[in-house]
């Protein structure tokens, strides 16, 4: 198995993905918490391009970018439960939806949280529409990966757990409801009820506190900020 | 091999990637040119989420998003020259750099082409810096994929061929020079000299003309546009 380290940040859904995948595979690892306001020499040395968590160190070799890390974990420990399906066409679908969550849904959902006024209304509508597409995709399935959690489910951890908490904080509860997104809501319930998931997500209240800070910081650093 | 169709647009580097990969693998396909101002029912039916080219149809099953398509091609026709390396760690590096080109370099380079004034200066500097990182990565190697063209090289076709043409059009020749990016320039020369590449890129003058239109359209639709 070799020496496996994860440099992460407790509140980050991106770090959460990597830890979830390693736990799914039964790979033991050392977790190293990063202070994002004072990044460690280890992080800066091994992820000089993006300087971001999560970073996987396997036998001192670095792998960066959470979606790249998930595929690396699947290929390096093929004996555990699969993260991607075996069939090339099913794999391409998993990759497509993982990128849809990453590139489309998450930025819209996050911006809907911290933006204000008209812009918030616009991004909220955008998030609702994007999640409707995801709602159709999950219809009739337990997980995006079929009967078991796979690449898309792990990638969408923000939608299943993080967003529910941050949405409550900022009063955006109506973005995902049983009326607007019935299938996605069923998936969220199914996902968060997995004992495997429960053991691998940050404590709700602590995360809510952290999000309040994050949202204020994002709103302040926005070019549209009034302050 | 089955029935293989590519829905593409002649001037698009994203379509170019897919055609290049199929030709590398020796896969015969039917090319269908899309009119992007009046998209075909076939495209809208099979890529309802993004409604974009390129789209691969393999035995009537759709695969969208060029980087997803490249991995699908590699896994579906493993007998041809490899697009990704075999080793999981080398694969993770190829995926990391392909995403770096896609998510970082290309948006900055394209924005440097169509933006104006101070914003253009800023994005030009950003593009120069990002390409400097790529310059270090290619140092001492013939291709990003080693001795042969691979995932990163195919993904970076815009940098090798398209950008040189558009940069001339808008007078941005100084973004990549032998002084600022010696290794990247060597790679560009090597890449464009491959007979395989020469046969698979659009005609220079026609592309320059198309870019002039594209740049005007991008500048006009920008929120910072004065018009």
């Amino acid at each position: 198995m070799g020496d496996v380290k994860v440099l992460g940040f407790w509140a980050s859904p991106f770090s959460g993905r990597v830890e979830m995948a390693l736990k799914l595979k039964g790979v033991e690892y050392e977790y190293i918490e990063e202070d994002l306001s004072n990044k460690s020499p280890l992080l800066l040395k091994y992820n000089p391009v993006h300087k971001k968590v999560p970073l996987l160190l396997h036998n001192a070799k670095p792998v960066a970018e959470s979606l790249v890390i998930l595929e690396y974990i699947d290929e390096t420990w093929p004996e555990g439960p699969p993260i991607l399906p075996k069939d090339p066409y099913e794999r391409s679908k998993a990759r497509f939806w993982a990128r849809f969550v990453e590139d489309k849904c998450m930025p819209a959902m996050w911006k809907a949280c911290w933006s204000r006024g008209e812009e918030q209304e616009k991004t909220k509508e955008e998030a609702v529409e994007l999640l409707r597409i995801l709602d159709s995709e999950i219809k009739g399935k337990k997980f995006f990966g079929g009967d078991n959690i796979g690449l898309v489910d792990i990638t969408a951890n923000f939608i299943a757990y993080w967003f529910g908490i941050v949405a409550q904080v900022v009063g955006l509860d109506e973005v995902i409801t049983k009326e607007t997104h019935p299938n996605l809501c069923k998936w969220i319930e199914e996902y968060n009820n997995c004992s495997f998931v429960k053991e691998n997500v940050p404590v709700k209240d602590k995360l809510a506190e952290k999000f309040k800070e994050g949202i204020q910081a994002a709103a302040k650093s926005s070019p549209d900020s009034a302050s």
Side-chain angles (χ1 to χ4, degrees), chain A residues 66-79:
Chain A
S66 66
L67 292 190
V68 173
I69 299 172
L70 294 183
E71 294 228 28
Y72 176 78
I73 290 171
D74 203 31
E75 292 175 353
T76 302
W77 294 284
E79 60 281 359

Side-chain angles (χ1 to χ4, degrees), chain A residues 15-34:
Chain A
S15 294
R17 290 174 182 167
V18 173
E19 287 201 83
M20 206 175 268
L22 288 170
K23 284 177 180 162
L24 184 74
K25 288 283 187 183
V27 175
E28 282 180 30
Y29 63 94
E30 181 191 344
Y31 177 77
I32 302 169
E33 177 75 6
E34 271 293 319

Side-chain angles (χ1 to χ4, degrees), chain A residues 192-209:
Chain A
N192 289 332
N193 273 338
C194 276
S195 61
F196 166 76
V197 171
K198 278 185 190 164
E199 290 159 17
N200 291 303
V201 288
V203 177
K204 195 179 161 175
D205 293 348
K206 209 178 147 200
L207 195 56
E209 245 350 277

Side-chain angles (χ1 to χ4, degrees), chain A residues 32-50:
Chain A
I32 302 169
E33 177 75 6
E34 271 293 319
D35 175 359
L36 297 185
S37 63
N38 181 23
K39 292 176 181 172
S40 73
L42 200 64
L43 180 64
L44 300 177
K45 178 182 173 189
Y46 284 116
N47 190 5
V49 174
H50 300 300

Side-chain angles (χ1 to χ4, degrees), chain A residues 125-138:
Chain A
E125 272 172 40
E126 199 188 323
V128 167
E129 276 314 307
L130 290 165
L131 293 170
R132 210 163 264 156
I133 296 172
L134 221 50
D135 187 75
S136 299
E137 178 55 23
I138 190 67

Side-chain angles (χ1 to χ4, degrees), chain A residues 10-216:
Chain A
W10 70 272
S12 160
F14 305 100
S15 294
R17 290 174 182 167
V18 173
E19 287 201 83
M20 206 175 268
L22 288 170
K23 284 177 180 162
L24 184 74
K25 288 283 187 183
V27 175
E28 282 180 30
Y29 63 94
E30 181 191 344
Y31 177 77
I32 302 169
E33 177 75 6
E34 271 293 319
D35 175 359
L36 297 185
S37 63
N38 181 23
K39 292 176 181 172
S40 73
L42 200 64
L43 180 64
L44 300 177
K45 178 182 173 189
Y46 284 116
N47 190 5
V49 174
H50 300 300
K51 303 176 181 72
K52 280 183 179 172
V53 294
L55 181 78
L56 181 79
L57 282 172
H58 185 205
N59 296 327
K61 288 197 291 188
V63 187
E65 297 287 273
S66 66
L67 292 190
V68 173
I69 299 172
L70 294 183
E71 294 228 28
Y72 176 78
I73 290 171
D74 203 31
E75 292 175 353
T76 302
W77 294 284
E79 60 281 359
I83 294 172
L84 277 96
K86 284 271 167 288
D87 173 68
Y89 186 66
E90 294 302 319
R91 290 165 76 83
S92 79
K93 286 206 291 183
R95 289 183 180 124
F96 175 89
W97 288 109
R99 294 259 38 128
F100 179 74
V101 167
E102 178 83 348
D103 299 337
K104 299 285 172 185
C105 301
M106 285 185 65
M109 293 169 87
W110 180 234
K111 198 170 178 185
C113 290
W114 63 257
S115 57
R116 295 286 170 268
E118 242 182 73
E119 199 187 14
Q120 188 175 42
E121 281 308 307
K122 209 181 116 196
T123 49
K124 204 176 78 184
E125 272 172 40
E126 199 188 323
V128 167
E129 276 314 307
L130 290 165
L131 293 170
R132 210 163 264 156
I133 296 172
L134 221 50
D135 187 75
S136 299
E137 178 55 23
I138 190 67
K139 194 176 176 181
K141 290 190 286 189
K142 189 173 176 185
F143 295 112
F144 288 97
D147 288 335
N148 297 299
I149 282 180
L151 182 73
V152 187
D153 304 281
I154 296 175
T155 304
N157 64 349
F158 177 81
I159 299 174
Y161 186 78
W162 274 254
F163 184 70
I165 294 166
V166 67
Q168 255 187 345
V169 169
V170 294
L172 272 183
D173 304 56
E174 76 276 29
V175 168
I176 311 177
T177 70
K178 280 187 181 161
E179 284 68 42
T180 59
H181 302 82
N183 307 297
L184 198 60
C185 281
K186 213 174 128 214
W187 169 79
I188 289 174
E189 217 176 293
E190 198 82 70
Y191 190 83
N192 289 332
N193 273 338
C194 276
S195 61
F196 166 76
V197 171
K198 278 185 190 164
E199 290 159 17
N200 291 303
V201 288
V203 177
K204 195 179 161 175
D205 293 348
K206 209 178 147 200
L207 195 56
E209 245 350 277
K210 188 72 206 167
F211 261 128
K212 280 184 199 164
E213 290 171 34
I215 285 164
Q216 281 166 358

